[in-house]
């Protein structure tokens, strides 16, 4: 072999294998492109009539493609291969739904009974701090008693005690605690602690048993006024904060010495009692217009519960905040009040605007009526029935026996949905879906003659200029003179 050829072969051997692969691919691509172009030119020329038939190229013979019908399984495989992302989403969603359904059905079949002594006597005590007139308090008390607990309902008035006695259950008793009087409340807690520490016989000639405090359940009032802020008198805000916010806080404060004390007999393992705070969560999640009382109180109770949880966590006393949605209270409220019972709070009615002052009605009435009439009003989701109370009762029991250890539990229709919407959805979009629209006509302020003609500096008196609170029956839209200070006017265009 000549020397030049040997050198050329050696040079080719040094070319990388990948480079040769690339060149082969490029050459193959060029060949296919040239063949395709030749076929196109041949087909085009064969269709031209001006070319003589002797030199006109014949069209390429196309091999017929056999059409084979696909089975249903093959079509399904083809669709899945073309929609992989959508298929993955469907599979994940179906898996979550099946898993949730399995957990729910298994939870419903779970046997939930309080522990009893060997002689069959009841030993576990549950305290429910809520108004006996609330359907939720009554339903929860009856369910806890049915499961084997000794239930005590906190009462601060003789009417509440009679209401509890009307339940007609031997193991549901009133627990009188006046939270507005700290010394009396402390004495009542001490008496209750002594009662828990003393043995109790379930019947005559039966060995007495030791009682155990398992849980304290706080149920604040669930009924709130629905109205614009400007039409709510100061006295209503004061009463609201006193009955809906201060009273629950004082109740928990009164029970803290009992909760942080070990009441078990010596030698027995101490089981810390569970603390549960039940509050409505739909309104406080989205904070819609005209719901200032409920949004303010529920947000404050949520913050209070978080602080209470942080303080009791080092003591191994769990605190659970149960955020409630909508429940079906059929059987616990009269039929005429069933709509209110399902929403757990008073729903605003369009006719309420008739008693508002003219200025407030002009500014707020249209949006108020639109929101209260919308399908997703804060009180309910129109067309949907509230969740069964059995779900709430099961969740409360699971918290007591330790099956649920989360600090926050959402239960009831709409609680999770509204929580997600309140966290991620834009506020403007939520208001628009509720029917809130821009008001183009506002009211013009007209000062009264009496107010504009009298000033301390002109009369030369020494009257103090300190702030004077508005009387309780007067709000921002009314005055003692009943003068028409608000007149509708068209807002100037900008």
């Amino acid at each position: 072999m000549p020397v030049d050829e040997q050198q050329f072969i050696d040079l080719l051997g040094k070319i990388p294998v990948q480079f040769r692969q690339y060149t082969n691919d490029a050459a193959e691509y060029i060949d296919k492109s040239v063949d395709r172009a030749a076929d196109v030119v041949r087909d085009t020329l064969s269709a031209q009539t001006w070319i003589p038939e002797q030199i006109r190229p014949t069209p390429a013979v196309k091999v017929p493609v056999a059409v084979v019908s696909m089975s249903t399984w093959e079509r399904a495989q083809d669709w899945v291969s073309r929609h992989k992302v959508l298929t993955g989403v469907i599979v994940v969603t179906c898996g979550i739904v099946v898993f949730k359904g399995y957990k729910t059905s298994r939870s419903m079949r779970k046997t939930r009974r309080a522990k009893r002594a060997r002689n069959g006597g009841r030993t576990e005590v549950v305290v429910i701090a809520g108004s006996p007139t609330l359907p939720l308090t009554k339903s929860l008390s009856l369910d806890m008693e049915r499961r084997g607990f000794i239930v005590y309902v906190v009462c601060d008035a003789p009417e509440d005690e009679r209401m509890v006695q009307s339940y007609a259950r031997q193991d549901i008793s009133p627990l009188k605690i006046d939270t507005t009087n700290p010394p009396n409340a402390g004495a009542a807690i001490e008496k209750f602690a002594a009662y828990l520490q003393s043995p109790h016989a379930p019947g005559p000639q039966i060995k007495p048993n030791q009682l155990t405090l398992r849980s304290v359940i706080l149920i604040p009032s669930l009924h709130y006024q629905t109205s614009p802020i400007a039409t709510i008198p100061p006295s209503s805000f004061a009463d609201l904060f006193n009955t809906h916010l201060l009273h629950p806080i004082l109740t928990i404060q009164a029970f803290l010495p009992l909760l942080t004390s070990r009441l078990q007999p010596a030698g027995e393992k101490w089981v810390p009692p569970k603390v549960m705070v039940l509050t409505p969560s739909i309104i406080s999640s989205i904070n819609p217009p005209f719901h200032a009382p409920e949004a303010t109180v529920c947000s404050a109770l949520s913050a209070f519960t978080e602080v209470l949880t942080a303080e009791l966590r080092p003591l191994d006393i769990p605190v659970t905040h149960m955020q409630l949605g909508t429940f079906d209270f059929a059987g616990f409220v009269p039929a005429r009040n069933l709509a209110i019972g399902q929403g757990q709070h008073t729903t605003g009615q369009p006719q309420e605007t008739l008693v508002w002052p003219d200025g407030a009605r002009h500014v707020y009435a249209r949006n108020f009526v639109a929101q209260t009439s919308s399908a997703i009003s804060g009180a309910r989701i129109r067309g949907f029935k509230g969740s069964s109370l059995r779900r709430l009762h099961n969740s409360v029991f699971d918290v007591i026996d330790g099956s649920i250890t989360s600090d926050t539990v959402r239960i009831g229709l709409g609680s999770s949905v509204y929580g997600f919407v309140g966290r991620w959805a834009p506020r403007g979009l939520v208001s628009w879906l509720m029917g809130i629209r821009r008001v183009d006509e506002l009211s013009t302020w007209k000062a009264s003659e009496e107010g504009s003609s009298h000033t301390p500096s002109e009369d030369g008196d020494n009257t103090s200029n300190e702030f004077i609170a508005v009387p309780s029956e007067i709000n921002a839209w009314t005055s003692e003179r009943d003068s028409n200070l608000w007149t509708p006017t068209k807002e100037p265009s900008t």
Side-chain angles (χ1 to χ4, degrees):
M1 182 181 295
V3 178
D4 295 339
E5 294 182 2
Q6 183 65 35
Q7 291 179 353
F8 180 73
I9 293 175
D10 295 340
L11 179 62
L12 292 178
K14 296 179 181 179
I15 298 177
V17 179
Q18 293 182 353
F19 179 76
R20 286 187 294 176
Q21 181 67 29
Y22 295 154
T23 56
N24 293 336
D25 293 343
E28 185 178 355
Y29 176 77
I30 293 173
D31 292 341
K32 291 182 179 180
S33 299
V34 172
D35 294 340
R36 191 180 303 109
D39 292 339
V40 172
V41 172
R42 183 176 181 180
D43 293 340
T44 303
L45 294 178
S46 63
Q48 302 299 324
T49 57
W50 56 271
I51 301 176
E53 187 176 357
Q54 294 78 7
I55 63 175
R56 185 188 308 168
T58 58
V61 180
K62 296 182 178 180
V63 180
V65 179
V67 179
V68 180
S69 61
M70 299 176 62
S71 62
T72 304
W73 174 252
E74 291 174 342
R75 287 197 299 268
Q77 287 182 325
D78 179 67
W79 187 91
V80 169
S81 63
R82 289 185 288 105
H83 305 85
K84 295 181 180 179
V85 176
L86 181 59
T87 303
V89 173
I90 294 176
V91 170
V92 172
T93 303
C94 294
I96 294 176
V97 171
V98 171
F99 178 72
K100 290 290 186 180
Y102 171 75
K103 287 188 63 178
T104 302
S105 61
R106 184 178 179 182
S107 176
M108 288 298 181
R109 294 194 302 266
K110 177 183 176 181
T111 302
R112 295 175 173 88
R113 291 292 184 269
K115 296 180 180 179
R116 291 177 178 263
R118 294 182 178 179
N119 54 18
R122 303 185 181 218
T123 60
E124 297 185 337
V125 178
V126 172
V127 176
I128 299 179
S131 175
T133 59
L134 291 176
L136 183 58
T137 303
K138 181 178 180 180
S139 65
L140 192 58
S141 301
L142 295 176
D143 183 79
M144 293 292 103
E145 188 272 341
R146 181 178 61 85
R147 297 180 188 274
F149 291 100
I150 301 175
V151 181
Y152 286 91
V153 181
V154 176
C155 303
D156 54 4
E159 296 80 7
D160 294 340
E161 296 183 24
R162 289 192 292 269
M163 187 68 182
V164 174
Q165 293 171 357
S166 67
Y167 294 170
R169 292 294 189 274
Q170 181 180 359
D171 292 302
I172 300 180
S173 306
L175 178 61
K176 182 173 178 55
I177 299 178
D178 186 6
T179 57
T180 60
N181 191 332
N184 292 344
I189 292 297
E190 291 182 0
K191 184 178 179 181
F192 183 63
Y195 171 81
L196 294 177
Q197 289 179 310
S198 59
H200 298 273
Q205 298 180 354
I206 300 179
K207 181 180 178 181
N209 304 319
Q210 193 73 31
L211 302 182
T212 303
L213 178 62
R214 292 304 309 271
S215 178
V216 175
I217 305 174
L218 178 64
I219 306 178
S221 179
L222 305 179
H223 301 282
Y224 296 88
Q225 179 181 359
T226 303
S227 180
I229 297 176
T231 63
I232 303 177
S235 61
S236 297
F237 276 113
D239 294 340
L240 173 77
F241 296 145
N242 183 44
T243 57
H244 292 59
L245 181 60
L246 182 60
H247 185 270
I249 292 176
L250 293 180
T251 302
I252 287 294
Q253 187 182 45
F255 275 96
L256 283 178
L258 183 63
L259 294 172
T260 55
S261 301
R262 298 177 182 268
L263 301 178
Q264 268 74 9
E268 294 187 9
K269 181 181 179 181
W270 179 66
V271 179
K274 309 295 193 306
V275 180
M276 278 178 277
V277 180
L278 280 63
T279 61
S281 64
I282 292 180
I283 295 300
S284 59
S285 297
I286 58 178
N287 295 326
F290 315 120
H291 291 81
E294 181 173 355
T296 303
V297 171
C298 292
S299 299
L301 286 176
S302 298
F304 171 78
T305 305
E306 291 181 4
V307 175
L308 180 67
T309 303
E311 291 184 359
L312 297 184
R313 183 178 291 114
L315 306 179
D316 292 333
I317 299 178
V319 179
T320 303
H321 183 198
M322 304 198 71
Q323 300 182 358
L324 308 181
T326 304
F327 291 94
D328 181 15
F329 283 94
F332 292 94
V333 294
R336 62 180 180 274
N337 297 329
L338 184 57
I340 298 176
Q342 288 183 354
Q344 286 116 41
H345 58 276
T346 304
T347 306
Q349 300 296 332
Q351 56 269 24
E352 293 181 9
T353 59
L354 300 177
V355 299
W356 293 355
D358 293 339
R361 189 184 308 113
H362 176 75
V363 175
Y364 297 113
R366 187 179 66 180
N367 283 331
F368 181 83
V369 173
Q371 177 178 296
T372 54
S373 303
S374 64
I376 56 173
S377 176
R380 75 276 187 254
I381 303 176
R382 183 177 300 173
F384 289 87
K385 189 178 181 180
S387 299
S388 172
L389 284 172
R390 183 182 178 185
R391 295 188 58 192
L392 175 62
H393 299 159
N394 292 343
S395 298
V396 170
F397 185 92
D398 291 342
V399 172
I400 294 177
D401 72 352
S403 300
I404 297 178
T405 58
S406 177
D407 294 339
T408 303
V409 177
R410 291 185 176 271
I411 190 72
L413 177 66
S415 58
S416 300
V417 174
Y418 277 91
F420 178 82
V421 171
R423 179 181 295 271
W424 299 106
R427 296 294 181 182
L429 177 60
V430 176
S431 298
W432 184 84
L433 292 175
M434 287 187 167
I436 304 300
R437 299 296 183 266
R438 175 182 173 85
V439 178
D440 295 327
E441 294 184 1
L442 300 180
S443 301
T444 301
W445 177 270
K446 290 185 178 180
S448 62
E449 296 181 359
E450 179 182 352
S452 60
S453 61
H454 176 76
T455 59
S457 59
E458 292 176 354
D459 297 343
D461 55 11
N462 295 326
T463 305
S464 173
N465 292 331
E466 295 180 356
F467 171 77
I468 301 177
V470 180
S472 59
E473 63 275 4
I474 300 176
N475 55 40
W477 298 95
T478 60
S479 65
E480 293 179 346
R481 296 178 297 276
D482 196 21
S483 59
N484 187 15
L485 301 180
W486 299 84
T487 57
T489 183
K490 184 70 174 179
E491 185 183 21
S493 58
T494 57

